[in-house]
Amino acid sequence: MELEFIDWLRANVPTDPRARLGLSDDAAVVSLSGRSDVVVTTDMLTDGVDFRLEVDDPNQIGRQALAVNLSDLAAMAASPLAAVISVVLPRNRAGARLPLSLAIALYEGLLPLAREFDVSIAGGDTNTYDGPLVISVTALGQLTPRGPLTRSGGRPGDWLLVTGSLGGSILGHLFDFTPRVREALLLQERYELHAGIDLSDGLAIDCSRLAAASGCGAVIFTDRVPISADAIRLTEQEKATDREATALEHALSDGQDFELLIATSPGTAQEILRSQPLDCPVTHVGELVSQPGLWQQDQTGKRAPLKPIGWVHN
Amino acid sequence: MELEFIDWLRANVPTDPRARLGLSDDAAVVSLSGRSDVVVTTDMLTDGVDFRLEVDDPNQIGRQALAVNLSDLAAMAASPLAAVISVVLPRNRAGARLPLSLAIALYEGLLPLAREFDVSIAGGDTNTYDGPLVISVTALGQLTPRGPLTRSGGRPGDWLLVTGSLGGSILGHLFDFTPRVREALLLQERYELHAGIDLSDGLAIDCSRLAAASGCGAVIFTDRVPISADAIRLTEQEKATDREATALEHALSDGQDFELLIATSPGTAQEILRSQPLDCPVTHVGELVSQPGLWQQDQTGKRAPLKPIGWVHN
């Protein structure tokens, strides 16, 4: 399988002067165009946990595997540069796709996204075995002159802004989301941001992570959380089932929104909210506070503890 | 599992100023100390193919997963810098290790090797699922001022040198080998090398790959191939079984030697052979020739085709 697949890769993966030797040598040489820091992130997706190969489209699975990594680069305000892709494919099973055809379908899903974000495919490893599909992507990025946006730079009093709308990602967004790379780079270039994280596990839990890394607590304004149409749709669908949840609960706790949560000074936040510089809405969802922990506050101003609910990896 | 494991990582993975933010943020920032090229390589090992979790020691599996990547960096004459480690662990099964204990055992195997080669663990992803153990490592390295050693720089007339001795790796060397990083860097620094590759799939097939990438053919001097004690031992063990093979056949075709095969001019090769600058022997095993293909030549000087036998990934 591997040699045939390498032939396919040679014909279909564009060569890129920034990433040399990847498909023809033991390793690739990635050029950082003069910079000497590289940002690196990795995510591994597995059948039965992150997707279900029986029902999900391999194109979308391949795209998602790259997209989640680009979202991590966005969270650091890093510009994507290259990625390596490791795949282990289930050996032929009755009724299932042949490994080669599955490998190609995964790549056909991720290559357009790589093109869109100018990510060079710098190498990989493709094998078969007796087990479920696993795909592991490591992405490399470059910092802007502003340096990395980290989780730890927030301060009490900072406003919390979120891009887009939240919840119900399971209805499709988890596969077709566009990583907020352009948004992060634009915000980082124009404004002085203090801290940032991408919402991979849910607003509540990821917000509590940013707050904890910044050594403070956070309040979420529950009446301002931007609820997605899918969160509402999901609530409708779940009515009278045992998984019933409000749309707000979905927006607070559903994983895989892949939106950005940013902490910045109230002044800068107001500027961003006024000018709305992104193609998607930016919403003021809360603030960092000196009291540790996660809190919710409704229209009445009443503050109560909020559990850092979300998708917990097991 | 993941949070507990991250706590373990925080306590056991040394922090390193060259790789910041890896365990605390969405991505790590790896410093290339002034250089602006990064070498990247990735390898994924799977239960049932690369190891057998039922019988093999998880310490050794973890070590191996990092070591094969360092061997790829060595093949490029790159100095190891950082690695990210993705692991997907089989969910609790009767009689099997708990995922957390398995994850820790893998890391306990790889951390000493990381320390030995000054590799910073810059991040990773650890999950569980219903499937076999998969471990994927991506390693980053830095080039020396000489640039990368590639597969493609060989020329007809170059001598082929190999480090160490070959074959029988399955008896233990595949787990306890030391990647030839120091050897590659020393040779690249002191001598003008033309091409190099690490022997991961077997001398015959990897030699044919180097020759093909260099646009030439190669002759292996079968009477000069350094045969390991394990290759001889394996031959003894296999006597009168249906897998009977000579020690030379093992040395030519067994995978996972992780020795270096180097092409350089006859003059430079003679210098290296005379001075034997490494802790392991360097042997003259063949030469590149203008006639494409892979050839073997014995003491009598008779040349015959040699099949590029080796471990072919399927």
Side-chain angles (χ1 to χ4, degrees), chain B residues 36-54:
Chain B
S36 65
D37 277 342
V38 63
V39 180
V40 57
T41 186
T42 192
D43 263 303
M44 186 183 245
L45 305 188
T46 55
D47 189 8
V49 178
D50 301 285
F51 56 82
R52 284 181 305 151
L53 187 55
E54 265 189 22

Side-chain angles (χ1 to χ4, degrees), chain A residues 28 30 32 36 38 40 44 125, chain B residues 28 30 32 36 38 40 44 125:
Chain A
V30 176
L32 300 169
S36 66
V38 63
V40 59
M44 187 183 245
D125 191 12
Chain B
V30 176
L32 300 169
S36 65
V38 63
V40 57
M44 186 183 245
D125 192 12

Side-chain angles (χ1 to χ4, degrees), chain A residues 205-222:
Chain A
I205 192 163
D206 287 324
C207 181
S208 76
R209 285 172 181 154
L210 183 146
S214 294
C216 40
V219 181
I220 291 175
F221 304 144
T222 47

Side-chain angles (χ1 to χ4, degrees), chain B residues 109-127:
Chain B
L110 68 84
L111 286 176
L113 189 71
R115 204 154 41 235
E116 181 181 348
F117 285 97
D118 205 16
V119 177
S120 169
I121 304 302
D125 192 12
T126 307
N127 292 295

Side-chain angles (χ1 to χ4, degrees), chain A residues 38 113 131 135 188-189 207 227 261 288 290:
Chain A
V38 63
L113 189 70
I135 174 164
Q188 170 86 337
E189 191 199 335
C207 181
I227 295 170
L261 181 69
L288 294 180
S290 49

Side-chain angles (χ1 to χ4, degrees), chain A residues 2 25-28 30-32 35-41 44 75-76 125 128-129 138 150-151 198 313-314, chain B residues 2 25-28 30-32 35-41 44 75-76 125 127-129 138 151 198 313-314:
Chain A
E2 202 184 28
D25 232 292
D26 290 297
V30 176
S31 163
L32 300 169
R35 301 197 180 279
S36 66
D37 277 341
V38 63
V39 180
V40 59
T41 186
M44 187 183 245
M76 305 290 284
D125 191 12
T128 57
Y129 79 148
T138 300
T150 68
R151 294 181 181 183
D198 70 321
H313 304 250
N314 55 8
Chain B
E2 201 184 28
D25 231 290
D26 289 298
V30 176
S31 163
L32 300 169
R35 301 196 181 278
S36 65
D37 277 342
V38 63
V39 180
V40 57
T41 186
M44 186 183 245
M76 305 290 284
D125 192 12
N127 292 295
T128 57
Y129 79 148
T138 301
R151 295 181 180 182
D198 71 320
H313 305 250
N314 54 9

Side-chain angles (χ1 to χ4, degrees), chain B residues 132-144:
Chain B
L133 173 64
V134 176
I135 175 163
S136 172
V137 174
T138 301
L140 304 183
Q142 264 184 307
L143 293 175
T144 70

